[in-house]
Amino acid sequence: MPLYQKISVDSNSVILIWKIAESFNNLFRAVVLKDNSLARLEGMKSESHQKGFLAVRMLLQEAGYTDFDLYYDEFGKPHLKDNKNISISHSYDFSVVMLSDKNIGIDLELRRDLIKKIARKFAAEAFVYECENNSAEFISKLTVVWGIKEAVFKVRNEVGISFKDHIFTKPFEINHSKTTALLDFIDTKQEFMVHFAEIENYTLVWLWEMNS
Ligand SMILES: CC(C)(COP(=O)(O)OP(=O)(O)OC[C@H]1O[C@@H](n2cnc3c(N)ncnc32)[C@H](O)[C@@H]1OP(=O)(O)O)[C@@H](O)C(=O)NCCC(=O)NCCS
């Protein structure tokens, strides 16, 4: 499938979404990879992961970049050579990238029952309690919170950040599709504007650091 969706967030920020319907071979033939990307691809254990990786390169091409424009720092955070900010996520059938002049983070998660089991590891007790009393939205809300924490982590990208103790989400309603979040870590408080959407059985969260 070609590009699944493009979300124009503002004049300098865009989200590109690829729904992976192609075979590995078709994706592989459609992209040009540098040597260390080829080595990374060969080292991946599952074909699903490989296709997610290749679909990210399809999205880069869609945005006018190639794999040669992308590099990673020692923490695994992706960067573009022209200094535009990039954030990447992939989950089963979809790959997404966000490009912006702001400090951005994006996360895509499949909504699953499993999240209930780990809720207390990453979300505040009061929030989990509130969600438990509204079972229709329990999984949806928890998946948003999880996505926010992953996306905030992708912005700050620092060892020692605890999802539960350092990243806080403002109460929100699923149908409002936005909220704010705070990262309070080592003497620095960073505030984030958060947006989210449900795409098929997946939850997409994107955010940017306010004042960035
Ligand atoms: C880095 C992390 C956020 C990736 O999230 P994920 O849900 O596993 O995977 P996603 O598909 O959403 O994102 C993967 C992409 O994130 C990007 N990424 C990896 N490390 C990153 C980092 N340190 N900073 C920013 N982006 C990073 C990469 O682009 C990667 O894809 P690619 O290597 O194919 O280009 C996650 O693995 C992580 O380490 N989280 C923090 C650990 C933690 O505290 N866990 C929860 C405790 S309750």
Side-chain angles (χ1 to χ4, degrees), residues 40 49 53 56-57 70 72 75-78 88-91 106-109 121-122 146 150 153-155 157 161-163:
R40 230 189 118 186
H49 191 191
F53 178 90
V56 167
R57 274 68 198 165
L70 183 72
Y72 294 85
F75 302 107
K77 180 169 173 144
I88 295 173
S89 185
H90 27 70
S91 181
I106 196 163
D107 191 66
L108 183 73
E109 293 290 332
K121 287 194 169 84
F122 68 90
W146 175 259
E150 291 263 54
F153 181 81
K154 286 177 184 175
V155 177
N157 176 36
I161 294 176
S162 152
F163 280 15

PDB file of all heavy atoms in Angstrom, residues 40 49 53 56-57 70 72 75-78 88-91 106-109 121-122 146 150 153-155 157 161-163, ligand 1:
ATOM      1  N   ARG A  40      22.009  -4.036   9.947  1.00  0.00           N
ATOM      2  CA  ARG A  40      20.985  -4.023  11.000  1.00  0.00           C
ATOM      3  C   ARG A  40      19.775  -4.858  10.581  1.00  0.00           C
ATOM      4  O   ARG A  40      19.240  -5.655  11.341  1.00  0.00           O
ATOM      5  CB  ARG A  40      20.540  -2.583  11.242  1.00  0.00           C
ATOM      6  CG  ARG A  40      20.556  -2.197  12.690  1.00  0.00           C
ATOM      7  CD  ARG A  40      19.914  -0.861  12.895  1.00  0.00           C
ATOM      8  NE  ARG A  40      18.752  -1.007  13.751  1.00  0.00           N
ATOM      9  CZ  ARG A  40      17.913  -0.022  14.011  1.00  0.00           C
ATOM     10  NH1 ARG A  40      18.080   1.154  13.495  1.00  0.00           N
ATOM     11  NH2 ARG A  40      16.883  -0.244  14.804  1.00  0.00           N
ATOM     12  N   HIS A  49       9.530  -7.134  12.102  1.00  0.00           N
ATOM     13  CA  HIS A  49      10.411  -6.033  12.489  1.00  0.00           C
ATOM     14  C   HIS A  49      11.146  -5.482  11.257  1.00  0.00           C
ATOM     15  O   HIS A  49      11.266  -4.263  11.075  1.00  0.00           O
ATOM     16  CB  HIS A  49      11.408  -6.532  13.550  1.00  0.00           C
ATOM     17  CG  HIS A  49      12.189  -5.437  14.214  1.00  0.00           C
ATOM     18  ND1 HIS A  49      13.273  -5.673  15.022  1.00  0.00           N
ATOM     19  CD2 HIS A  49      12.059  -4.089  14.167  1.00  0.00           C
ATOM     20  CE1 HIS A  49      13.764  -4.511  15.438  1.00  0.00           C
ATOM     21  NE2 HIS A  49      13.047  -3.546  14.939  1.00  0.00           N
ATOM     22  N   PHE A  53      11.000  -1.658   9.708  1.00  0.00           N
ATOM     23  CA  PHE A  53      12.222  -0.884   9.449  1.00  0.00           C
ATOM     24  C   PHE A  53      12.235  -0.374   8.006  1.00  0.00           C
ATOM     25  O   PHE A  53      12.529   0.799   7.747  1.00  0.00           O
ATOM     26  CB  PHE A  53      13.416  -1.816   9.718  1.00  0.00           C
ATOM     27  CG  PHE A  53      14.771  -1.233   9.475  1.00  0.00           C
ATOM     28  CD1 PHE A  53      15.463  -0.572  10.474  1.00  0.00           C
ATOM     29  CD2 PHE A  53      15.389  -1.369   8.226  1.00  0.00           C
ATOM     30  CE1 PHE A  53      16.733  -0.050  10.251  1.00  0.00           C
ATOM     31  CE2 PHE A  53      16.656  -0.851   7.996  1.00  0.00           C
ATOM     32  CZ  PHE A  53      17.330  -0.186   9.015  1.00  0.00           C
ATOM     33  N   VAL A  56       9.737   2.417   7.370  1.00  0.00           N
ATOM     34  CA  VAL A  56      10.237   3.734   7.809  1.00  0.00           C
ATOM     35  C   VAL A  56      11.036   4.375   6.679  1.00  0.00           C
ATOM     36  O   VAL A  56      10.914   5.583   6.409  1.00  0.00           O
ATOM     37  CB  VAL A  56      11.108   3.599   9.084  1.00  0.00           C
ATOM     38  CG1 VAL A  56      11.885   4.885   9.363  1.00  0.00           C
ATOM     39  CG2 VAL A  56      10.239   3.229  10.282  1.00  0.00           C
ATOM     40  N   ARG A  57      11.829   3.554   5.954  1.00  0.00           N
ATOM     41  CA  ARG A  57      12.619   4.117   4.835  1.00  0.00           C
ATOM     42  C   ARG A  57      11.698   4.550   3.688  1.00  0.00           C
ATOM     43  O   ARG A  57      11.996   5.513   2.966  1.00  0.00           O
ATOM     44  CB  ARG A  57      13.650   3.091   4.338  1.00  0.00           C
ATOM     45  CG  ARG A  57      14.972   3.107   5.110  1.00  0.00           C
ATOM     46  CD  ARG A  57      14.827   2.633   6.521  1.00  0.00           C
ATOM     47  NE  ARG A  57      15.921   3.017   7.403  1.00  0.00           N
ATOM     48  CZ  ARG A  57      15.844   2.944   8.727  1.00  0.00           C
ATOM     49  NH1 ARG A  57      14.747   2.504   9.330  1.00  0.00           N
ATOM     50  NH2 ARG A  57      16.851   3.329   9.472  1.00  0.00           N
ATOM     51  N   LEU A  70      19.737   9.648   7.409  1.00  0.00           N
ATOM     52  CA  LEU A  70      19.362   9.299   8.790  1.00  0.00           C
ATOM     53  C   LEU A  70      20.545   8.682   9.512  1.00  0.00           C
ATOM     54  O   LEU A  70      21.246   7.827   8.961  1.00  0.00           O
ATOM     55  CB  LEU A  70      18.210   8.277   8.731  1.00  0.00           C
ATOM     56  CG  LEU A  70      17.601   7.826  10.053  1.00  0.00           C
ATOM     57  CD1 LEU A  70      16.763   8.955  10.673  1.00  0.00           C
ATOM     58  CD2 LEU A  70      16.710   6.595   9.830  1.00  0.00           C
ATOM     59  N   TYR A  72      21.910   7.564  13.834  1.00  0.00           N
ATOM     60  CA  TYR A  72      21.473   7.355  15.218  1.00  0.00           C
ATOM     61  C   TYR A  72      22.587   7.767  16.172  1.00  0.00           C
ATOM     62  O   TYR A  72      23.767   7.542  15.877  1.00  0.00           O
ATOM     63  CB  TYR A  72      21.146   5.875  15.441  1.00  0.00           C
ATOM     64  CG  TYR A  72      19.940   5.402  14.642  1.00  0.00           C
ATOM     65  CD1 TYR A  72      20.080   4.974  13.322  1.00  0.00           C
ATOM     66  CD2 TYR A  72      18.671   5.399  15.205  1.00  0.00           C
ATOM     67  CE1 TYR A  72      18.980   4.551  12.580  1.00  0.00           C
ATOM     68  CE2 TYR A  72      17.565   4.978  14.472  1.00  0.00           C
ATOM     69  CZ  TYR A  72      17.726   4.557  13.161  1.00  0.00           C
ATOM     70  OH  TYR A  72      16.631   4.146  12.452  1.00  0.00           O
ATOM     71  N   PHE A  75      22.430   6.493  21.969  1.00  0.00           N
ATOM     72  CA  PHE A  75      21.277   5.988  22.715  1.00  0.00           C
ATOM     73  C   PHE A  75      20.243   5.342  21.794  1.00  0.00           C
ATOM     74  O   PHE A  75      19.230   4.830  22.248  1.00  0.00           O
ATOM     75  CB  PHE A  75      20.603   7.136  23.483  1.00  0.00           C
ATOM     76  CG  PHE A  75      21.525   7.842  24.427  1.00  0.00           C
ATOM     77  CD1 PHE A  75      21.994   9.114  24.130  1.00  0.00           C
ATOM     78  CD2 PHE A  75      21.936   7.232  25.604  1.00  0.00           C
ATOM     79  CE1 PHE A  75      22.855   9.773  24.992  1.00  0.00           C
ATOM     80  CE2 PHE A  75      22.797   7.882  26.477  1.00  0.00           C
ATOM     81  CZ  PHE A  75      23.261   9.158  26.169  1.00  0.00           C
ATOM     82  N   GLY A  76      20.475   5.438  20.484  1.00  0.00           N
ATOM     83  CA  GLY A  76      19.502   4.870  19.538  1.00  0.00           C
ATOM     84  C   GLY A  76      18.515   5.896  19.021  1.00  0.00           C
ATOM     85  O   GLY A  76      17.596   5.577  18.276  1.00  0.00           O
ATOM     86  N   LYS A  77      18.709   7.166  19.423  1.00  0.00           N
ATOM     87  CA  LYS A  77      17.790   8.218  18.951  1.00  0.00           C
ATOM     88  C   LYS A  77      18.132   8.600  17.513  1.00  0.00           C
ATOM     89  O   LYS A  77      19.294   8.854  17.195  1.00  0.00           O
ATOM     90  CB  LYS A  77      17.896   9.440  19.867  1.00  0.00           C
ATOM     91  CG  LYS A  77      16.991  10.585  19.454  1.00  0.00           C
ATOM     92  CD  LYS A  77      16.920  11.648  20.533  1.00  0.00           C
ATOM     93  CE  LYS A  77      16.146  12.855  20.012  1.00  0.00           C
ATOM     94  NZ  LYS A  77      15.337  13.495  21.008  1.00  0.00           N
ATOM     95  N   PRO A  78      17.106   8.657  16.638  1.00  0.00           N
ATOM     96  CA  PRO A  78      17.375   8.999  15.235  1.00  0.00           C
ATOM     97  C   PRO A  78      17.531  10.506  15.016  1.00  0.00           C
ATOM     98  O   PRO A  78      16.894  11.311  15.709  1.00  0.00           O
ATOM     99  CB  PRO A  78      16.119   8.485  14.515  1.00  0.00           C
ATOM    100  CG  PRO A  78      15.034   8.555  15.529  1.00  0.00           C
ATOM    101  CD  PRO A  78      15.683   8.339  16.873  1.00  0.00           C
ATOM    102  N   ILE A  88      10.453   8.280  15.408  1.00  0.00           N
ATOM    103  CA  ILE A  88      10.035   7.074  14.662  1.00  0.00           C
ATOM    104  C   ILE A  88       9.336   6.097  15.596  1.00  0.00           C
ATOM    105  O   ILE A  88       9.726   5.947  16.753  1.00  0.00           O
ATOM    106  CB  ILE A  88      11.292   6.384  14.060  1.00  0.00           C
ATOM    107  CG1 ILE A  88      11.960   7.279  13.015  1.00  0.00           C
ATOM    108  CG2 ILE A  88      10.946   5.011  13.477  1.00  0.00           C
ATOM    109  CD1 ILE A  88      13.299   6.751  12.479  1.00  0.00           C
ATOM    110  N   SER A  89       8.307   5.417  15.070  1.00  0.00           N
ATOM    111  CA  SER A  89       7.705   4.303  15.823  1.00  0.00           C
ATOM    112  C   SER A  89       7.187   3.279  14.822  1.00  0.00           C
ATOM    113  O   SER A  89       6.814   3.624  13.697  1.00  0.00           O
ATOM    114  CB  SER A  89       6.550   4.823  16.700  1.00  0.00           C
ATOM    115  OG  SER A  89       6.033   3.801  17.499  1.00  0.00           O
ATOM    116  N   HIS A  90       7.211   2.011  15.231  1.00  0.00           N
ATOM    117  CA  HIS A  90       6.575   0.984  14.401  1.00  0.00           C
ATOM    118  C   HIS A  90       5.930  -0.061  15.291  1.00  0.00           C
ATOM    119  O   HIS A  90       6.420  -0.364  16.376  1.00  0.00           O
ATOM    120  CB  HIS A  90       7.538   0.336  13.402  1.00  0.00           C
ATOM    121  CG  HIS A  90       8.971   0.339  13.800  1.00  0.00           C
ATOM    122  ND1 HIS A  90       9.465  -0.429  14.817  1.00  0.00           N
ATOM    123  CD2 HIS A  90      10.014   1.043  13.312  1.00  0.00           C
ATOM    124  CE1 HIS A  90      10.756  -0.219  14.932  1.00  0.00           C
ATOM    125  NE2 HIS A  90      11.123   0.690  14.040  1.00  0.00           N
ATOM    126  N   SER A  91       4.817  -0.577  14.830  1.00  0.00           N
ATOM    127  CA  SER A  91       4.097  -1.579  15.604  1.00  0.00           C
ATOM    128  C   SER A  91       3.315  -2.461  14.628  1.00  0.00           C
ATOM    129  O   SER A  91       2.394  -1.984  13.973  1.00  0.00           O
ATOM    130  CB  SER A  91       3.137  -0.868  16.573  1.00  0.00           C
ATOM    131  OG  SER A  91       2.442  -1.800  17.360  1.00  0.00           O
ATOM    132  N   ILE A 106       7.002  10.589  19.008  1.00  0.00           N
ATOM    133  CA  ILE A 106       5.801   9.910  18.504  1.00  0.00           C
ATOM    134  C   ILE A 106       5.827   8.455  18.954  1.00  0.00           C
ATOM    135  O   ILE A 106       6.902   7.863  19.120  1.00  0.00           O
ATOM    136  CB  ILE A 106       5.701  10.023  16.958  1.00  0.00           C
ATOM    137  CG1 ILE A 106       4.286   9.667  16.483  1.00  0.00           C
ATOM    138  CG2 ILE A 106       6.745   9.167  16.249  1.00  0.00           C
ATOM    139  CD1 ILE A 106       3.984  10.134  15.064  1.00  0.00           C
ATOM    140  N   ASP A 107       4.644   7.905  19.186  1.00  0.00           N
ATOM    141  CA  ASP A 107       4.586   6.492  19.553  1.00  0.00           C
ATOM    142  C   ASP A 107       3.289   5.879  19.043  1.00  0.00           C
ATOM    143  O   ASP A 107       2.233   6.489  19.127  1.00  0.00           O
ATOM    144  CB  ASP A 107       4.666   6.313  21.076  1.00  0.00           C
ATOM    145  CG  ASP A 107       4.876   4.849  21.420  1.00  0.00           C
ATOM    146  OD1 ASP A 107       5.947   4.310  21.089  1.00  0.00           O
ATOM    147  OD2 ASP A 107       3.962   4.223  21.982  1.00  0.00           O
ATOM    148  N   LEU A 108       3.411   4.683  18.515  1.00  0.00           N
ATOM    149  CA  LEU A 108       2.248   3.942  18.025  1.00  0.00           C
ATOM    150  C   LEU A 108       2.188   2.621  18.777  1.00  0.00           C
ATOM    151  O   LEU A 108       3.195   1.909  18.875  1.00  0.00           O
ATOM    152  CB  LEU A 108       2.422   3.671  16.526  1.00  0.00           C
ATOM    153  CG  LEU A 108       1.251   2.976  15.844  1.00  0.00           C
ATOM    154  CD1 LEU A 108       0.079   3.946  15.674  1.00  0.00           C
ATOM    155  CD2 LEU A 108       1.664   2.446  14.477  1.00  0.00           C
ATOM    156  N   GLU A 109       1.020   2.313  19.323  1.00  0.00           N
ATOM    157  CA  GLU A 109       0.872   1.076  20.105  1.00  0.00           C
ATOM    158  C   GLU A 109      -0.392   0.354  19.684  1.00  0.00           C
ATOM    159  O   GLU A 109      -1.437   0.992  19.499  1.00  0.00           O
ATOM    160  CB  GLU A 109       0.717   1.396  21.606  1.00  0.00           C
ATOM    161  CG  GLU A 109       1.928   1.992  22.269  1.00  0.00           C
ATOM    162  CD  GLU A 109       3.076   1.023  22.431  1.00  0.00           C
ATOM    163  OE1 GLU A 109       2.854  -0.208  22.537  1.00  0.00           O
ATOM    164  OE2 GLU A 109       4.224   1.503  22.429  1.00  0.00           O
ATOM    165  N   LYS A 121       2.709  -0.352  36.809  1.00  0.00           N
ATOM    166  CA  LYS A 121       4.157  -0.131  36.662  1.00  0.00           C
ATOM    167  C   LYS A 121       4.464   1.244  36.057  1.00  0.00           C
ATOM    168  O   LYS A 121       5.540   1.792  36.254  1.00  0.00           O
ATOM    169  CB  LYS A 121       4.775  -1.203  35.747  1.00  0.00           C
ATOM    170  CG  LYS A 121       4.880  -2.557  36.384  1.00  0.00           C
ATOM    171  CD  LYS A 121       5.810  -3.407  35.515  1.00  0.00           C
ATOM    172  CE  LYS A 121       6.189  -4.641  36.169  1.00  0.00           C
ATOM    173  NZ  LYS A 121       5.710  -5.776  36.316  1.00  0.00           N
ATOM    174  N   PHE A 122       3.518   1.783  35.251  1.00  0.00           N
ATOM    175  CA  PHE A 122       3.844   3.048  34.584  1.00  0.00           C
ATOM    176  C   PHE A 122       2.862   4.183  34.861  1.00  0.00           C
ATOM    177  O   PHE A 122       3.172   5.333  34.572  1.00  0.00           O
ATOM    178  CB  PHE A 122       3.989   2.848  33.068  1.00  0.00           C
ATOM    179  CG  PHE A 122       2.695   2.506  32.353  1.00  0.00           C
ATOM    180  CD1 PHE A 122       1.874   3.509  31.854  1.00  0.00           C
ATOM    181  CD2 PHE A 122       2.313   1.194  32.172  1.00  0.00           C
ATOM    182  CE1 PHE A 122       0.687   3.203  31.184  1.00  0.00           C
ATOM    183  CE2 PHE A 122       1.137   0.877  31.513  1.00  0.00           C
ATOM    184  CZ  PHE A 122       0.327   1.872  31.029  1.00  0.00           C
ATOM    185  N   TRP A 146       0.555   5.237  28.142  1.00  0.00           N
ATOM    186  CA  TRP A 146       1.793   4.521  27.802  1.00  0.00           C
ATOM    187  C   TRP A 146       2.497   5.200  26.611  1.00  0.00           C
ATOM    188  O   TRP A 146       3.694   5.454  26.638  1.00  0.00           O
ATOM    189  CB  TRP A 146       1.474   3.058  27.464  1.00  0.00           C
ATOM    190  CG  TRP A 146       2.670   2.295  26.981  1.00  0.00           C
ATOM    191  CD1 TRP A 146       2.983   1.996  25.695  1.00  0.00           C
ATOM    192  CD2 TRP A 146       3.745   1.775  27.776  1.00  0.00           C
ATOM    193  NE1 TRP A 146       4.178   1.312  25.647  1.00  0.00           N
ATOM    194  CE2 TRP A 146       4.662   1.156  26.900  1.00  0.00           C
ATOM    195  CE3 TRP A 146       4.007   1.771  29.153  1.00  0.00           C
ATOM    196  CZ2 TRP A 146       5.832   0.539  27.344  1.00  0.00           C
ATOM    197  CZ3 TRP A 146       5.179   1.149  29.595  1.00  0.00           C
ATOM    198  CH2 TRP A 146       6.063   0.547  28.692  1.00  0.00           C
ATOM    199  N   GLU A 150       6.287   6.853  26.417  1.00  0.00           N
ATOM    200  CA  GLU A 150       7.307   6.440  25.428  1.00  0.00           C
ATOM    201  C   GLU A 150       7.756   7.652  24.588  1.00  0.00           C
ATOM    202  O   GLU A 150       8.941   7.830  24.318  1.00  0.00           O
ATOM    203  CB  GLU A 150       6.716   5.387  24.484  1.00  0.00           C
ATOM    204  CG  GLU A 150       6.437   4.044  25.140  1.00  0.00           C
ATOM    205  CD  GLU A 150       7.566   3.046  24.915  1.00  0.00           C
ATOM    206  OE1 GLU A 150       8.723   3.374  25.232  1.00  0.00           O
ATOM    207  OE2 GLU A 150       7.268   1.945  24.450  1.00  0.00           O
ATOM    208  N   PHE A 153       9.875  10.038  26.539  1.00  0.00           N
ATOM    209  CA  PHE A 153      11.213   9.444  26.671  1.00  0.00           C
ATOM    210  C   PHE A 153      12.021   9.652  25.391  1.00  0.00           C
ATOM    211  O   PHE A 153      13.220   9.950  25.439  1.00  0.00           O
ATOM    212  CB  PHE A 153      11.098   7.948  26.998  1.00  0.00           C
ATOM    213  CG  PHE A 153      12.440   7.296  27.169  1.00  0.00           C
ATOM    214  CD1 PHE A 153      13.135   7.395  28.366  1.00  0.00           C
ATOM    215  CD2 PHE A 153      13.035   6.628  26.115  1.00  0.00           C
ATOM    216  CE1 PHE A 153      14.393   6.827  28.509  1.00  0.00           C
ATOM    217  CE2 PHE A 153      14.299   6.057  26.238  1.00  0.00           C
ATOM    218  CZ  PHE A 153      14.975   6.153  27.450  1.00  0.00           C
ATOM    219  N   LYS A 154      11.365   9.532  24.249  1.00  0.00           N
ATOM    220  CA  LYS A 154      12.085   9.700  22.978  1.00  0.00           C
ATOM    221  C   LYS A 154      12.592  11.131  22.795  1.00  0.00           C
ATOM    222  O   LYS A 154      13.579  11.353  22.104  1.00  0.00           O
ATOM    223  CB  LYS A 154      11.190   9.303  21.795  1.00  0.00           C
ATOM    224  CG  LYS A 154      11.000   7.790  21.678  1.00  0.00           C
ATOM    225  CD  LYS A 154      10.055   7.444  20.549  1.00  0.00           C
ATOM    226  CE  LYS A 154       9.793   5.950  20.488  1.00  0.00           C
ATOM    227  NZ  LYS A 154       8.778   5.622  19.474  1.00  0.00           N
ATOM    228  N   VAL A 155      11.907  12.104  23.403  1.00  0.00           N
ATOM    229  CA  VAL A 155      12.391  13.481  23.302  1.00  0.00           C
ATOM    230  C   VAL A 155      13.605  13.672  24.195  1.00  0.00           C
ATOM    231  O   VAL A 155      14.646  14.155  23.766  1.00  0.00           O
ATOM    232  CB  VAL A 155      11.291  14.502  23.711  1.00  0.00           C
ATOM    233  CG1 VAL A 155      11.852  15.922  23.664  1.00  0.00           C
ATOM    234  CG2 VAL A 155      10.082  14.389  22.811  1.00  0.00           C
ATOM    235  N   ASN A 157      15.318  11.259  26.144  1.00  0.00           N
ATOM    236  CA  ASN A 157      16.334  10.286  25.747  1.00  0.00           C
ATOM    237  C   ASN A 157      17.476  10.193  26.764  1.00  0.00           C
ATOM    238  O   ASN A 157      18.632  10.301  26.418  1.00  0.00           O
ATOM    239  CB  ASN A 157      16.855  10.760  24.356  1.00  0.00           C
ATOM    240  CG  ASN A 157      17.978   9.943  23.801  1.00  0.00           C
ATOM    241  OD1 ASN A 157      18.012   8.736  23.991  1.00  0.00           O
ATOM    242  ND2 ASN A 157      18.913  10.583  23.136  1.00  0.00           N
ATOM    243  N   ILE A 161      15.327   7.899  33.516  1.00  0.00           N
ATOM    244  CA  ILE A 161      13.947   8.390  33.533  1.00  0.00           C
ATOM    245  C   ILE A 161      13.006   7.220  33.840  1.00  0.00           C
ATOM    246  O   ILE A 161      13.065   6.176  33.193  1.00  0.00           O
ATOM    247  CB  ILE A 161      13.558   9.029  32.174  1.00  0.00           C
ATOM    248  CG1 ILE A 161      14.377  10.292  31.942  1.00  0.00           C
ATOM    249  CG2 ILE A 161      12.065   9.332  32.127  1.00  0.00           C
ATOM    250  CD1 ILE A 161      14.154  10.945  30.586  1.00  0.00           C
ATOM    251  N   SER A 162      12.171   7.417  34.877  1.00  0.00           N
ATOM    252  CA  SER A 162      11.169   6.399  35.216  1.00  0.00           C
ATOM    253  C   SER A 162       9.817   6.862  34.692  1.00  0.00           C
ATOM    254  O   SER A 162       9.408   8.003  34.933  1.00  0.00           O
ATOM    255  CB  SER A 162      11.108   6.230  36.737  1.00  0.00           C
ATOM    256  OG  SER A 162       9.818   5.812  37.129  1.00  0.00           O
ATOM    257  N   PHE A 163       9.144   5.962  33.966  1.00  0.00           N
ATOM    258  CA  PHE A 163       7.834   6.321  33.406  1.00  0.00           C
ATOM    259  C   PHE A 163       6.876   6.732  34.523  1.00  0.00           C
ATOM    260  O   PHE A 163       6.087   7.655  34.374  1.00  0.00           O
ATOM    261  CB  PHE A 163       7.247   5.133  32.636  1.00  0.00           C
ATOM    262  CG  PHE A 163       7.807   4.971  31.239  1.00  0.00           C
ATOM    263  CD1 PHE A 163       8.961   5.624  30.843  1.00  0.00           C
ATOM    264  CD2 PHE A 163       7.161   4.150  30.322  1.00  0.00           C
ATOM    265  CE1 PHE A 163       9.464   5.474  29.550  1.00  0.00           C
ATOM    266  CE2 PHE A 163       7.654   3.997  29.026  1.00  0.00           C
ATOM    267  CZ  PHE A 163       8.808   4.653  28.648  1.00  0.00           C
TER     268      PHE A 163
HETATM  269  C1  LIG B   1      13.367   3.630  23.127  1.00  0.00           C
HETATM  270  C2  LIG B   1      11.939   3.199  23.326  1.00  0.00           C
HETATM  271  C3  LIG B   1      11.158   4.424  23.769  1.00  0.00           C
HETATM  272  C4  LIG B   1      11.404   2.662  21.981  1.00  0.00           C
HETATM  273  O1  LIG B   1      10.022   2.425  22.030  1.00  0.00           O
HETATM  274  P1  LIG B   1       9.333   1.068  21.535  1.00  0.00           P
HETATM  275  O2  LIG B   1       7.886   1.134  21.859  1.00  0.00           O
HETATM  276  O3  LIG B   1      10.119  -0.085  22.024  1.00  0.00           O
HETATM  277  O4  LIG B   1       9.480   1.058  19.971  1.00  0.00           O
HETATM  278  P2  LIG B   1       8.927   2.076  18.899  1.00  0.00           P
HETATM  279  O5  LIG B   1       8.692   1.296  17.679  1.00  0.00           O
HETATM  280  O6  LIG B   1       7.823   2.946  19.379  1.00  0.00           O
HETATM  281  O7  LIG B   1      10.192   3.023  18.677  1.00  0.00           O
HETATM  282  C5  LIG B   1      11.354   2.517  18.126  1.00  0.00           C
HETATM  283  C6  LIG B   1      12.119   3.684  17.575  1.00  0.00           C
HETATM  284  O8  LIG B   1      12.434   4.600  18.623  1.00  0.00           O
HETATM  285  C7  LIG B   1      13.618   5.285  18.251  1.00  0.00           C
HETATM  286  N1  LIG B   1      14.483   5.278  19.426  1.00  0.00           N
HETATM  287  C8  LIG B   1      15.179   4.247  19.938  1.00  0.00           C
HETATM  288  N2  LIG B   1      15.882   4.656  21.023  1.00  0.00           N
HETATM  289  C9  LIG B   1      15.596   5.963  21.171  1.00  0.00           C
HETATM  290  C10 LIG B   1      16.014   6.940  22.107  1.00  0.00           C
HETATM  291  N3  LIG B   1      16.875   6.651  23.082  1.00  0.00           N
HETATM  292  N4  LIG B   1      15.528   8.200  22.006  1.00  0.00           N
HETATM  293  C11 LIG B   1      14.682   8.516  21.008  1.00  0.00           C
HETATM  294  N5  LIG B   1      14.236   7.634  20.068  1.00  0.00           N
HETATM  295  C12 LIG B   1      14.699   6.367  20.172  1.00  0.00           C
HETATM  296  C13 LIG B   1      14.242   4.568  17.054  1.00  0.00           C
HETATM  297  O9  LIG B   1      14.028   5.345  15.905  1.00  0.00           O
HETATM  298  C14 LIG B   1      13.448   3.274  16.997  1.00  0.00           C
HETATM  299  O10 LIG B   1      13.206   2.773  15.708  1.00  0.00           O
HETATM  300  P3  LIG B   1      14.369   2.387  14.683  1.00  0.00           P
HETATM  301  O11 LIG B   1      15.553   1.973  15.507  1.00  0.00           O
HETATM  302  O12 LIG B   1      13.807   1.293  13.840  1.00  0.00           O
HETATM  303  O13 LIG B   1      14.640   3.652  13.913  1.00  0.00           O
HETATM  304  C15 LIG B   1      11.784   2.104  24.391  1.00  0.00           C
HETATM  305  O14 LIG B   1      12.273   0.910  23.943  1.00  0.00           O
HETATM  306  C16 LIG B   1      12.483   2.417  25.701  1.00  0.00           C
HETATM  307  O15 LIG B   1      13.645   2.193  25.887  1.00  0.00           O
HETATM  308  N6  LIG B   1      11.743   2.914  26.666  1.00  0.00           N
HETATM  309  C17 LIG B   1      12.281   3.317  27.949  1.00  0.00           C
HETATM  310  C18 LIG B   1      12.413   2.207  28.913  1.00  0.00           C
HETATM  311  C19 LIG B   1      11.403   2.237  30.000  1.00  0.00           C
HETATM  312  O16 LIG B   1      11.499   3.045  30.885  1.00  0.00           O
HETATM  313  N7  LIG B   1      10.402   1.343  29.911  1.00  0.00           N
HETATM  314  C20 LIG B   1       9.214   1.294  30.701  1.00  0.00           C
HETATM  315  C21 LIG B   1       9.322   1.002  32.123  1.00  0.00           C
HETATM  316  S1  LIG B   1       7.726   0.832  32.890  1.00  0.00           S
END
